[in-house]
Amino acid sequence: MGTARAHIRDIVPREHVSVAGTVVAITFPAQGTNRQAYVYLKDPTGTLVITWSGRTNVPDITVGSVLRVEGLPTQSERQMIMQNPSYERITEREL
């Protein structure tokens, strides 16, 4: 991943960014609704909501996983969201 890394609090909507943090929650909508996985990634400065459309699971990601994600964030009313980012598992030392 070649983009400079930022803290979650420093994310600017619609600017390509790479952030790293720990997965603190994973949710999926009820059956019969849009298939989308929601992963909540936290660093010491905030939480980023990551979504993957059409997914009922995200391979190799569990609560406690440490990830680096890269993509184009958007701002909703209350939170920063990144849809369908590229990601890689990293170690805590790489945070």
Side-chain angles (χ1 to χ4, degrees):
M1 298 191 172
T3 302
R5 198 171 79 197
H7 291 289
I8 290 172
R9 74 166 172 238
D10 298 328
I11 293 174
V12 176
R14 303 201 184 285
E15 285 190 14
H16 199 267
V17 68
S18 173
V19 295
T22 302
V23 175
V24 295
I26 301 171
T27 62
F28 302 94
Q31 268 188 314
T33 61
N34 289 337
R35 293 170 38 158
Q36 191 158 339
Y38 294 84
V39 173
Y40 297 81
L41 189 72
K42 184 174 179 66
D43 76 4
T45 69
T47 302
L48 173 66
V49 179
I50 304 164
T51 65
W52 281 279
S53 301
R55 295 255 183 122
T56 56
N57 70 359
V58 184
D60 300 326
I61 297 179
T62 59
V63 171
S65 295
V66 181
L67 305 177
R68 179 174 297 124
V69 297
E70 186 174 324
L72 192 66
T74 58
Q75 178 77 49
S76 74
E77 292 178 19
R78 296 171 287 166
Q79 55 200 359
M80 193 67 69
I81 300 171
M82 188 179 288
Q83 295 181 320
N84 301 312
S86 59
Y87 71 94
E88 64 179 334
R89 288 186 63 139
I90 60 173
T91 66
E92 287 190 31
R93 284 182 274 149
E94 295 176 273
L95 278 175

